Amino acid sequence: MLDGARRAARAALQAWRRAAGVRHVRQSRPHVTRAALAADLARLGIAPGDTLFVHSSLKSLGYVEGGALAVVHALQDAVGPQGALLLPAYYLPGGTVRAACAMQDYVFDPRRHGTHMGRLPEAFLASAGVRRSIHPTHSVSAWGRHADALTEAHHRAPSIFGVDSPWQRFIGCEQAKVLGLGISMGPVTFYHALEDAMGEAFPVPVWEDKTELLACLDHAGRRWEVPVRPFDPAVAQRRIDHPGRGDLRDYFHREFDAAGLRINGQVGDAASWWIPAQGFYDHLRRLAADNVTIYASAEELAARPIGRA
Ligand SMILES: CC(C)(COP(=O)(O)OP(=O)(O)OC[C@H]1O[C@@H](n2cnc3c(N)ncnc32)[C@H](O)[C@@H]1OP(=O)(O)O)[C@@H](O)C(=O)NCCC(=O)NCCS
């Protein structure tokens, strides 16, 4: 009874906060529409037939008339029916892979569990024609031409980001691009694809030793045991998405600019960018050979000047 009342109070508070947030953005930021966003995406170089892996900040775009769903539609307009979209639909109870592994009785259920990745991923997940991969921590949602192929095998993949994962299949798509809408080079999952592909050869021991099996239900309600290996928390502390690693975000931004791989522009009010997936991957591999990874120390960054061929 008391729990129910607490839950209701929490939901009401969250709804009030959300409404206040929207009001603030509506009053303080330039207004943008689906059509304007689609035109900006085209100007940035997003083309019909592209397959995009999108990381986003909704409020950085300005006040979007029609909310997050209008951004979803603008992305669909930009890539067209021959294109595809992928967005993170990660559900991370406890906030990390390790915390999810430590939870007793956790069973991922795509019908019950949403995503913790922000307002655009939430709206995308709930929108028409979207497929969702089955994974206890790093589920991915996809729309468009390759949606089935990109998502259908994640629960059978031996690692989160490796063979048969959406990332590994995404790299193989023609016109595959990683798109950042109003975000830095920090919250970009694509980096981990190289770590899983290189395994022990990757210069940093990113993972804990033990692989756990986490339970998931698929869309038909069948149960799967999915292998998940937590990140080593000490290593994750020095990663590019950690608030204290502005130096790494800046290095990667300037390095990918210097390599001619990062295309920059404006979408709505947001500084945005894209990088071709294969070029991204190959360059990360070259950087790793020079000991520059998303975990590099200030000394390791200083030892490799930006733009070195
Ligand atoms: C963390 C992160 C999501 C925060 O960005 P954000 O814009 O504050 O959050 P969301 O995208 O969820 O959007 C919610 C915000 O949009 C605002 N908003 C609501 N309706 C809106 C509208 N119609 N137009 C514009 N903004 C709107 C909300 O008020 C809220 O802002 P508030 O928290 O200040 O109230 C972003 O910085 C980020 O890291 N994105 C990448 C996430 C990711 O892909 N992670 C995986 C990689 S490891």
Side-chain angles (χ1 to χ4, degrees):
M1 176 83 167
L2 200 59
D3 270 3
R6 266 204 208 108
R7 259 198 308 277
R10 215 177 295 133
L13 182 64
Q14 195 198 21
W16 180 84
R17 279 206 187 112
R18 279 199 173 205
V22 178
R23 247 190 334 271
H24 178 71
V25 181
R26 191 169 54 225
Q27 285 160 4
S28 61
R29 305 293 306 280
H31 286 215
V32 291
T33 61
R34 164 180 174 174
L37 291 171
D40 285 350
L41 286 163
R43 216 168 293 120
L44 178 65
I46 302 305
D50 280 357
T51 294
L52 306 177
F53 202 118
V54 185
H55 294 286
S56 60
S57 154
L58 177 62
K59 77 174 168 223
S60 70
L61 295 166
Y63 174 71
V64 182
E65 314 254 3
L69 195 57
V71 186
V72 171
H73 289 147
L75 287 162
Q76 290 170 335
D77 294 343
V79 300
Q82 291 306 308
L85 301 173
L86 285 150
L87 268 79
Y90 317 155
Y91 181 75
L92 280 161
T96 63
V97 176
R98 196 190 213 195
C101 289
M103 281 177 71
Q104 298 291 321
D105 304 327
Y106 169 51
V107 180
F108 173 75
D109 181 348
R111 291 162 302 188
R112 281 197 310 120
H113 294 135
T115 173
H116 296 121
M117 290 301 113
R119 216 62 74 83
L120 189 60
E122 277 176 22
F124 184 67
L125 190 54
S127 66
V130 164
R131 312 287 302 176
R132 185 179 195 183
S133 75
I134 300 300
H135 197 279
T137 57
H138 284 76
S139 168
V140 168
S141 47
W143 168 91
R145 190 175 161 205
H146 307 299
D148 278 335
L150 287 160
T151 52
E152 58 91 21
H154 205 182
H155 52 298
R156 295 191 301 270
S159 65
I160 304 176
F161 310 104
V163 173
D164 283 340
S165 74
W167 290 271
Q168 191 252 351
R169 293 188 172 190
F170 164 67
I171 296 169
C173 292
E174 275 175 36
Q175 293 178 232
K177 297 168 176 171
V178 179
L179 173 66
L181 294 175
I183 59 146
S184 69
M185 291 294 280
V188 179
T189 318
F190 189 75
Y191 300 122
H192 299 306
L194 179 70
E195 295 164 7
D196 267 6
M198 288 184 72
E200 299 297 312
F202 191 72
V204 180
V206 174
W207 310 103
E208 290 186 355
D209 291 337
K210 193 158 171 253
T211 298
E212 309 277 352
L213 289 176
L214 264 59
C216 290
L217 299 179
D218 66 16
H219 300 287
R222 280 179 306 239
R223 191 180 165 107
W224 296 82
E225 302 288 323
V226 177
V228 171
R229 200 170 164 192
F231 294 103
D232 181 321
V235 177
Q237 278 292 313
R238 51 180 220 259
R239 195 169 62 193
I240 191 166
D241 57 335
H242 191 271
R245 295 311 309 271
D247 60 336
L248 265 173
R249 292 190 284 280
D250 181 57
Y251 184 101
F252 272 69
H253 179 153
R254 292 196 291 133
E255 173 59 30
F256 279 86
D257 279 353
L261 286 165
R262 185 176 137 130
I263 310 300
N264 300 295
Q266 191 85 5
V267 176
D269 204 33
S272 300
W273 53 268
W274 64 268
I275 300 175
Q278 189 65 58
F280 201 167
Y281 187 83
D282 293 344
H283 201 60
L284 287 173
R285 191 183 276 280
R286 279 192 288 274
L287 290 171
D290 284 348
N291 246 349
V292 169
T293 67
I294 58 165
Y295 311 90
S297 65
E299 293 72 32
E300 285 165 333
L301 295 182
R304 185 194 176 279
I306 284 170
R308 186 157 95 188

